[in-house]
Amino acid sequence: MLKPWIAYLSFLLIVSFALSSAAETSFDRETPAERDARMKWFREAKFGLFIHWGLYSVPAGEWKDKKDYAEWISEQAQIPMSEYEKFRGQFNPVKFDAAAWAALAKQAGMKYVVITSKHHDGFAMFDTKLTDWGIMSTPFRRDPIKELAAECKKAGLKFCVYHSIMDWHHPDYAPRRPWNDTARGEPDMDRYVQFLKGQLKELIQNYGPLGILWFDGEWEKTWTHERGKDLYNYVRGLQPDIIVNNRVGKNRQGMKGLSKGREIVGDYGTPEQEIPADGLPPEVVWESCITMNDHWGYNKNDHNWKSSTKLIRMLIDIASKGGNFLLNVGPTAEGLIPAPSVERLDEIGAWMKVNGESIHGASASPFAKAPSWGRVTRKPGKLYLHVFDWPKDGKLSVSMPPPAGKMPKAYLLADPRHKPLPISANPSGLEIFLPPVAPDAAASVVVLEVTDKAL
Ligand code: GLC
């Protein structure tokens, strides 16, 4: 009799179908606790290094009579692809030193590194087997992504990649640019997605586990919500604990970067060149990415550097609002991080060495409004008062209810002995008496030990 046999077969089919569809949707069904566990390292890290490095560092921002380009140069100057491809012959970054880059990030107090494995020009900075449009076809013939991944792991930094969805070079990417004179045939986005997924698989399998997959270039019409969802599930299928930014899907609200929509794809918001004006609900995870000068990729004429003080205050401002700071550098075609960037990272590192406790693992300020003198971060039992403007009369006012019992203890984080600073209470709050000179002109941190559970 055939019947039981057929019944058994169809039973097997149903079971395997149920299992495979469960696997497909399991990421949507992540519980809040599972999500929190996955996002934990990222929320605590607070500070990361963004690296925009690619073939565009060869022209270094210049084409014909214009000097204001960077990683967008091939598109903005409409360089024929056959011309742009020639930069390959000049890309030989022999001064690249992955260990030095990892050490620089680490001493700056950063906890993760996000490097461009591929920017919008489609040029792979890693040893991909899926195209010869990449670093292995240059005289350099080394794999900087492999080297940096190894050094980051050694240094205890999470290694992450930025991988562009938009691709001006690939013949299947649509819309094809009219100046892409090397692509043949008709573009086909479905085939392009297969290529994109193939490269992501190489990245996750050969360089992983990755901390974050940082997508970008999702704004063109050919990239849809459905494609975003599918890609999100694809990369999480390859590495379930990976974190994916919201530029995988279509929910980002412009440069403000936060997600909006019925069905949100991606794990966190990505404000670009801006810091949200106010704090956001604690469940919103976000990371502001910001340049040190005015370009992401290397531009040899851009000397408009932000000061270290400004950058340190940005880091504090972001932490006080519950976000992360992804600070960018654009290395040269020789493989060097520009000296002004190194200088700033060293200065931020010196500040972090003394004050890092007030940033790493800290959460947003409990106060709705930032105080006039600076910003606040907190950890259980402690408020960190980041003083930007050292009060001339030596009194730091903190508008919080005076304690019912014992006065809280206050001390300077820069003081290794934690010598208590005098405090008094008045009806509008506390007053902390500070020494006449600020320990750090950029920001000095006063720790206030609090017992109030509400804080
Ligand atoms: C962008 C740009 C880009 C840069 C990125 C960083 O939207 O296209 O060149 O890589 O943002 O956030």
Side-chain angles (χ1 to χ4, degrees):
M1 261 213 345
L2 266 178
K3 262 195 175 158
W5 215 77
I6 290 169
Y8 180 64
L9 254 186
S10 38
F11 168 75
L12 276 186
L13 267 176
I14 288 166
V15 168
S16 62
F17 177 76
L19 284 177
S20 69
S21 61
E24 235 172 65
T25 54
S26 63
F27 302 120
D28 303 339
R29 290 198 279 108
E30 188 177 45
T31 65
E34 283 166 345
R35 180 183 150 80
D36 282 352
R38 184 166 59 88
M39 301 301 288
K40 187 169 183 280
W41 76 261
F42 182 70
R43 301 193 78 143
E44 290 176 353
K46 295 284 146 206
F47 195 23
L49 182 67
F50 212 0
I51 306 176
H52 274 72
W53 195 33
L55 194 57
Y56 41 81
S57 63
V58 173
E62 289 190 0
W63 184 254
K64 304 214 164 127
D65 51 349
K66 279 194 73 189
K67 296 179 176 355
D68 197 29
Y69 303 113
E71 75 286 355
W72 274 73
I73 191 165
S74 78
E75 165 107 344
Q76 288 170 339
Q78 307 199 353
I79 305 174
M81 200 50 85
S82 50
E83 285 291 304
Y84 189 73
E85 285 182 356
K86 289 185 190 148
F87 290 132
R88 273 198 283 196
Q90 299 166 51
F91 195 27
N92 193 12
V94 288
K95 295 191 177 154
F96 169 64
D97 178 347
W101 288 15
L104 185 66
K106 184 154 179 121
Q107 71 75 36
M110 291 163 158
K111 299 287 188 187
Y112 61 108
V113 171
V114 186
I115 186 168
T116 45
S117 45
K118 176 187 94 158
H119 205 268
H120 308 329
D121 64 0
F123 186 80
M125 289 295 284
F126 62 107
D127 183 7
T128 175
K129 302 289 180 241
L130 302 178
T131 171
D132 63 0
W133 181 231
I135 191 79
M136 301 314 270
S137 68
T138 67
F140 191 50
R141 303 201 56 198
R142 266 164 59 192
D143 182 343
I145 301 295
K146 184 117 236 171
E147 293 178 26
L148 191 61
E151 292 300 334
C152 283
K153 274 162 206 168
K154 263 194 235 163
L157 295 160
K158 290 271 187 191
F159 181 73
C160 316
V161 296
Y162 165 116
H163 204 77
S164 177
I165 289 172
M166 180 163 74
D167 191 319
W168 303 320
H169 185 273
H170 200 281
D172 279 327
Y173 182 82
R176 164 104 45 93
R177 276 29 185 191
W179 48 94
N180 185 354
D181 58 355
T182 60
R184 301 279 173 267
E186 281 303 305
D188 177 333
M189 271 307 268
D190 291 333
R191 245 178 3 218
Y192 172 71
V193 170
Q194 289 316 308
F195 164 78
L196 177 64
K197 284 182 173 174
Q199 283 201 330
L200 293 165
K201 191 176 200 171
E202 289 181 323
L203 286 164
I204 291 172
Q205 291 183 344
N206 304 341
Y207 308 83
L210 302 177
I212 301 166
L213 245 170
W214 216 103
F215 287 108
D216 194 22
E218 84 290 17
W219 54 82
E220 301 212 307
K221 280 209 183 70
T222 47
W223 193 252
T224 60
H225 176 75
E226 288 310 314
R227 288 196 194 277
K229 232 170 79 171
D230 173 64
L231 195 61
Y232 178 87
N233 282 322
Y234 177 73
V235 294
R236 288 208 53 207
L238 291 172
Q239 188 195 314
D241 68 353
I242 203 164
I243 294 175
V244 183
N245 74 346
N246 68 345
R247 299 190 186 187
V248 67
K250 303 291 278 190
N251 300 100
R252 173 163 67 112
Q253 303 171 80
M255 296 302 182
K256 287 213 174 323
L258 299 171
S259 294
K260 195 179 166 186
R262 193 172 41 88
E263 190 183 39
I264 289 176
V265 185
D267 298 316
Y268 71 88
T270 51
E272 180 171 323
Q273 302 288 35
E274 57 179 85
I275 301 172
D278 300 299
L280 296 157
E283 65 280 6
V284 178
V285 186
W286 58 277
E287 171 199 64
S288 278
C289 53
I290 292 177
T291 50
M292 276 199 203
N293 55 1
D294 293 332
H295 294 86
W296 298 100
Y298 180 59
N299 176 303
K300 67 176 172 202
N301 300 298
D302 182 354
H303 306 297
N304 192 25
W305 301 99
K306 296 175 182 76
S307 69
S308 299
T309 296
K310 183 162 186 174
L311 295 169
I312 290 167
R313 290 183 178 183
M314 281 180 158
L315 171 61
I316 297 167
D317 186 27
I318 291 169
S320 80
K321 293 168 178 168
N324 279 17
F325 186 18
L326 186 62
L327 178 58
N328 183 71
V329 295
T332 67
E334 286 186 290
L336 293 175
I337 295 180
S341 299
V342 173
E343 211 174 280
R344 281 156 182 77
L345 290 171
D346 283 342
E347 284 168 8
I348 298 170
W351 187 87
M352 285 293 275
K353 205 160 263 143
V354 176
N355 301 293
E357 178 195 319
S358 67
I359 302 291
H360 295 137
S363 29
S365 167
F367 305 118
K369 206 171 153 281
S372 59
W373 42 256
R375 297 288 182 273
V376 180
T377 58
R378 75 174 146 164
K379 276 185 185 171
K382 281 178 186 170
L383 290 182
Y384 297 97
L385 315 174
H386 298 258
V387 187
F388 296 170
D389 301 315
W390 200 248
K392 290 199 177 52
D393 64 359
K395 287 185 260 177
L396 187 73
S397 318
V398 188
S399 47
M400 57 184 268
K406 215 164 76 161
M407 269 303 217
K409 181 182 167 189
Y411 57 88
L412 286 165
L413 203 47
D415 171 9
R417 291 167 305 129
H418 293 182
K419 190 168 146 267
L421 299 170
I423 302 195
S424 76
N426 59 39
S428 62
L430 295 177
E431 239 167 28
I432 304 171
F433 296 86
L434 302 174
V437 182
D440 197 305
S444 304
V445 181
V446 176
V447 184
L448 186 62
E449 289 185 351
V450 283
T451 46
D452 190 336
K453 289 271 183 310
L455 292 172

